[in-house]
Amino acid sequence: MGESVNRTRVAIVDYGMGNLRSVEKAFARVGHPAAITSDPADIADATHVVLPGVGSFPACMSNLENRGLAEPVLRAIEAGKPFLGLCVGMQILFSEGEEFGRHPGLGVFSGRVARFPESVGKRGLKVPHMGWNTLTFRRRPPAMRNVGDGSYVYFVHSYVVLPDDPGVIAATTEHGVEFVSAVWKDNIVATQFHPEKSQGVGLSIIEEFGKLG
Amino acid sequence: MLAKRIIPCLDVMGGRVVKGVTFVNLRDAGDPVEIARAYDEQGADELCFLDITASHEERPIILDVVARTADQVFMPLTVGGGVRTLEDIRALLKAGADKVAVNTAAVADPGFVQRASERFGSQCIVVAIDAKRVRSPRSKVEGRRVAEGSPQSSDAGWEVFTHGGRRSTGIDAVEWAGRMEGLGAGEILLTSMDRDGTREGYDLDLTKAVGRGVGIPVIASGGVGTLDHLYEGIVLGGADAVLAASIFHYGEATVGDAKRYLAGRGIPIRLA
């Protein structure tokens, strides 16, 4: 029970959407025990839960549900465990997605997920928004305590979250429009960018997240 | 504001980097993992591995290289070369690649790009185009329509080549890029065969023509000999990212040198 013992056990939820190896390795790099799992019991046992996500909104939602992982994820959130959503793993926390038609999400956050507006392309900017862009904080979540305003992080996405409650917005980023790049409410922090691909800045977020709770 | 990306590219053959690398402090200058780590320290925005291994039997070697690199380097990694099947893509992604570049297989079967992007997501499907200047490319793209005002309606253009630039296809490169976008490509890696290895700079007209025709990011490749060429590729060519190999490999400039130079000239750059 000494304080030097790292009691963190991170569950990285595997629901068949994308490669989670880089997420796992990022936790390993900063010294937090983490395991990729699709077992609800592991999610229940974990101290921290990470919901990654690559691909489309409906594919992620249906895979999560078909594997019986939506409920365990929601229970972990309700239990107050530090929870980290990544990319589409952030988007499906919202009530509704508009990728390939309208589809319900987990509804942890009220709001929808829509494609970058047409005006972005008309201004000569590319979609997907792919590459390194900067964060402007409105409220800095504890997991991002070491991340300065203007820090670069890595993005790959064509859809953005539109929270009904602007109070959940943690950070925004500019790409033709100002969009929400991170949200934070209670135990939940979620990022549109990929901390596991964002070199030192990203690793600091992973490290601080693992210290929460 | 989205930063312009600087992407060092490594030609890997049989698990070894084939071009000379003159970094200091490398225990093994031919080890792609060591070199990836060095580029990581220099602040590269992404890495590109081009597997130029001829034989399919040696595929497990590149998978091992990708896995070992992904374990140590926390930035996006694109792998190309010899990708022919959905299973090839799946294996590379599973090993830790973030994106997979497809070239010859896309020309042989454009539907492959669509199936790949539907299965794995557009974000990880890069279509690599090797283009060469020609007088008049005769497009073989099915259902082709000549776009109004398209520069290809005049007698100058660029033709797509496959098999490492050895085989002509008759396909117009600008039109091809648009078609690949329509089938779900998330990005275009555009190499000028005329400029590749010349150190004379990117083919800026080609870069501009392809970039104007698509709404997805374009990576300029082929011909970088000076840091100014990177600047030209971004400002004159309109590239979203610039790829270079030898200028970094031979230690003439570090990625950090390139980024400081570009930032000094007003380009949005992520300075590590």
Side-chain angles (χ1 to χ4, degrees), chain A residues 15-27:
Chain A
Y15 54 108
M17 297 308 289
N19 167 45
L20 310 181
R21 184 190 181 103
S22 56
V23 179
E24 183 187 31
K25 294 294 172 185
F27 277 100

PDB file of all heavy atoms in Angstrom, chain A residues 15-27:
ATOM      1  N   TYR A  15     -12.758  -3.002 -29.354  1.00  0.00           N
ATOM      2  CA  TYR A  15     -14.022  -3.453 -29.956  1.00  0.00           C
ATOM      3  C   TYR A  15     -13.865  -3.607 -31.466  1.00  0.00           C
ATOM      4  O   TYR A  15     -14.804  -3.423 -32.233  1.00  0.00           O
ATOM      5  CB  TYR A  15     -15.187  -2.546 -29.561  1.00  0.00           C
ATOM      6  CG  TYR A  15     -14.990  -1.067 -29.830  1.00  0.00           C
ATOM      7  CD1 TYR A  15     -15.689  -0.432 -30.851  1.00  0.00           C
ATOM      8  CD2 TYR A  15     -14.140  -0.306 -29.052  1.00  0.00           C
ATOM      9  CE1 TYR A  15     -15.536   0.925 -31.085  1.00  0.00           C
ATOM     10  CE2 TYR A  15     -13.969   1.044 -29.283  1.00  0.00           C
ATOM     11  CZ  TYR A  15     -14.674   1.647 -30.302  1.00  0.00           C
ATOM     12  OH  TYR A  15     -14.514   2.992 -30.539  1.00  0.00           O
ATOM     13  N   GLY A  16     -12.632  -3.948 -31.853  1.00  0.00           N
ATOM     14  CA  GLY A  16     -12.378  -4.293 -33.247  1.00  0.00           C
ATOM     15  C   GLY A  16     -12.248  -3.112 -34.177  1.00  0.00           C
ATOM     16  O   GLY A  16     -12.296  -3.271 -35.385  1.00  0.00           O
ATOM     17  N   MET A  17     -12.096  -1.910 -33.605  1.00  0.00           N
ATOM     18  CA  MET A  17     -11.964  -0.739 -34.457  1.00  0.00           C
ATOM     19  C   MET A  17     -10.552  -0.182 -34.342  1.00  0.00           C
ATOM     20  O   MET A  17     -10.258   0.649 -33.498  1.00  0.00           O
ATOM     21  CB  MET A  17     -12.994   0.329 -34.084  1.00  0.00           C
ATOM     22  CG  MET A  17     -14.434  -0.097 -34.286  1.00  0.00           C
ATOM     23  SD  MET A  17     -14.788  -0.757 -35.940  1.00  0.00           S
ATOM     24  CE  MET A  17     -14.679   0.728 -36.942  1.00  0.00           C
ATOM     25  N   GLY A  18      -9.706  -0.665 -35.210  1.00  0.00           N
ATOM     26  CA  GLY A  18      -8.379  -0.089 -35.302  1.00  0.00           C
ATOM     27  C   GLY A  18      -7.370  -0.721 -34.380  1.00  0.00           C
ATOM     28  O   GLY A  18      -7.693  -1.508 -33.497  1.00  0.00           O
ATOM     29  N   ASN A  19      -6.158  -0.316 -34.610  1.00  0.00           N
ATOM     30  CA  ASN A  19      -5.027  -0.887 -33.914  1.00  0.00           C
ATOM     31  C   ASN A  19      -4.790  -0.123 -32.609  1.00  0.00           C
ATOM     32  O   ASN A  19      -4.673   1.088 -32.619  1.00  0.00           O
ATOM     33  CB  ASN A  19      -3.821  -0.771 -34.829  1.00  0.00           C
ATOM     34  CG  ASN A  19      -2.556  -1.045 -34.095  1.00  0.00           C
ATOM     35  OD1 ASN A  19      -2.471  -1.995 -33.332  1.00  0.00           O
ATOM     36  ND2 ASN A  19      -1.574  -0.209 -34.315  1.00  0.00           N
ATOM     37  N   LEU A  20      -4.759  -0.841 -31.512  1.00  0.00           N
ATOM     38  CA  LEU A  20      -4.656  -0.184 -30.215  1.00  0.00           C
ATOM     39  C   LEU A  20      -3.252  -0.276 -29.645  1.00  0.00           C
ATOM     40  O   LEU A  20      -2.993   0.173 -28.548  1.00  0.00           O
ATOM     41  CB  LEU A  20      -5.661  -0.809 -29.242  1.00  0.00           C
ATOM     42  CG  LEU A  20      -7.083  -0.894 -29.811  1.00  0.00           C
ATOM     43  CD1 LEU A  20      -8.026  -1.495 -28.791  1.00  0.00           C
ATOM     44  CD2 LEU A  20      -7.578   0.478 -30.232  1.00  0.00           C
ATOM     45  N   ARG A  21      -2.385  -0.887 -30.438  1.00  0.00           N
ATOM     46  CA  ARG A  21      -1.035  -1.107 -29.958  1.00  0.00           C
ATOM     47  C   ARG A  21      -0.349   0.196 -29.545  1.00  0.00           C
ATOM     48  O   ARG A  21       0.324   0.263 -28.510  1.00  0.00           O
ATOM     49  CB  ARG A  21      -0.239  -1.782 -31.080  1.00  0.00           C
ATOM     50  CG  ARG A  21       1.156  -2.170 -30.713  1.00  0.00           C
ATOM     51  CD  ARG A  21       1.902  -2.588 -31.987  1.00  0.00           C
ATOM     52  NE  ARG A  21       3.255  -3.003 -31.664  1.00  0.00           N
ATOM     53  CZ  ARG A  21       3.626  -4.271 -31.615  1.00  0.00           C
ATOM     54  NH1 ARG A  21       2.780  -5.235 -31.871  1.00  0.00           N
ATOM     55  NH2 ARG A  21       4.871  -4.577 -31.311  1.00  0.00           N
ATOM     56  N   SER A  22      -0.527   1.259 -30.355  1.00  0.00           N
ATOM     57  CA  SER A  22       0.180   2.500 -30.035  1.00  0.00           C
ATOM     58  C   SER A  22      -0.349   3.118 -28.740  1.00  0.00           C
ATOM     59  O   SER A  22       0.403   3.749 -28.004  1.00  0.00           O
ATOM     60  CB  SER A  22       0.088   3.496 -31.193  1.00  0.00           C
ATOM     61  OG  SER A  22      -1.249   3.749 -31.525  1.00  0.00           O
ATOM     62  N   VAL A  23      -1.642   2.917 -28.467  1.00  0.00           N
ATOM     63  CA  VAL A  23      -2.202   3.424 -27.205  1.00  0.00           C
ATOM     64  C   VAL A  23      -1.584   2.661 -26.034  1.00  0.00           C
ATOM     65  O   VAL A  23      -1.137   3.250 -25.038  1.00  0.00           O
ATOM     66  CB  VAL A  23      -3.741   3.280 -27.188  1.00  0.00           C
ATOM     67  CG1 VAL A  23      -4.308   3.791 -25.876  1.00  0.00           C
ATOM     68  CG2 VAL A  23      -4.367   4.025 -28.363  1.00  0.00           C
ATOM     69  N   GLU A  24      -1.538   1.347 -26.183  1.00  0.00           N
ATOM     70  CA  GLU A  24      -0.959   0.514 -25.123  1.00  0.00           C
ATOM     71  C   GLU A  24       0.510   0.872 -24.871  1.00  0.00           C
ATOM     72  O   GLU A  24       0.955   1.000 -23.727  1.00  0.00           O
ATOM     73  CB  GLU A  24      -1.081  -0.963 -25.534  1.00  0.00           C
ATOM     74  CG  GLU A  24      -0.582  -1.939 -24.494  1.00  0.00           C
ATOM     75  CD  GLU A  24      -0.573  -3.368 -25.025  1.00  0.00           C
ATOM     76  OE1 GLU A  24      -0.381  -3.565 -26.247  1.00  0.00           O
ATOM     77  OE2 GLU A  24      -0.752  -4.283 -24.214  1.00  0.00           O
ATOM     78  N   LYS A  25       1.241   1.064 -25.986  1.00  0.00           N
ATOM     79  CA  LYS A  25       2.666   1.364 -25.854  1.00  0.00           C
ATOM     80  C   LYS A  25       2.899   2.727 -25.221  1.00  0.00           C
ATOM     81  O   LYS A  25       3.889   2.936 -24.521  1.00  0.00           O
ATOM     82  CB  LYS A  25       3.341   1.308 -27.229  1.00  0.00           C
ATOM     83  CG  LYS A  25       3.354  -0.070 -27.833  1.00  0.00           C
ATOM     84  CD  LYS A  25       4.231  -1.008 -27.019  1.00  0.00           C
ATOM     85  CE  LYS A  25       4.079  -2.429 -27.516  1.00  0.00           C
ATOM     86  NZ  LYS A  25       4.822  -3.388 -26.690  1.00  0.00           N
ATOM     87  N   ALA A  26       1.988   3.665 -25.490  1.00  0.00           N
ATOM     88  CA  ALA A  26       2.135   4.987 -24.890  1.00  0.00           C
ATOM     89  C   ALA A  26       1.992   4.896 -23.365  1.00  0.00           C
ATOM     90  O   ALA A  26       2.765   5.512 -22.628  1.00  0.00           O
ATOM     91  CB  ALA A  26       1.098   5.947 -25.474  1.00  0.00           C
ATOM     92  N   PHE A  27       1.033   4.108 -22.893  1.00  0.00           N
ATOM     93  CA  PHE A  27       0.904   3.920 -21.440  1.00  0.00           C
ATOM     94  C   PHE A  27       2.134   3.227 -20.879  1.00  0.00           C
ATOM     95  O   PHE A  27       2.634   3.585 -19.810  1.00  0.00           O
ATOM     96  CB  PHE A  27      -0.370   3.129 -21.102  1.00  0.00           C
ATOM     97  CG  PHE A  27      -1.599   3.991 -21.047  1.00  0.00           C
ATOM     98  CD1 PHE A  27      -2.476   4.048 -22.122  1.00  0.00           C
ATOM     99  CD2 PHE A  27      -1.869   4.775 -19.928  1.00  0.00           C
ATOM    100  CE1 PHE A  27      -3.602   4.859 -22.077  1.00  0.00           C
ATOM    101  CE2 PHE A  27      -2.992   5.590 -19.879  1.00  0.00           C
ATOM    102  CZ  PHE A  27      -3.863   5.630 -20.956  1.00  0.00           C
TER     103      PHE A  27
END
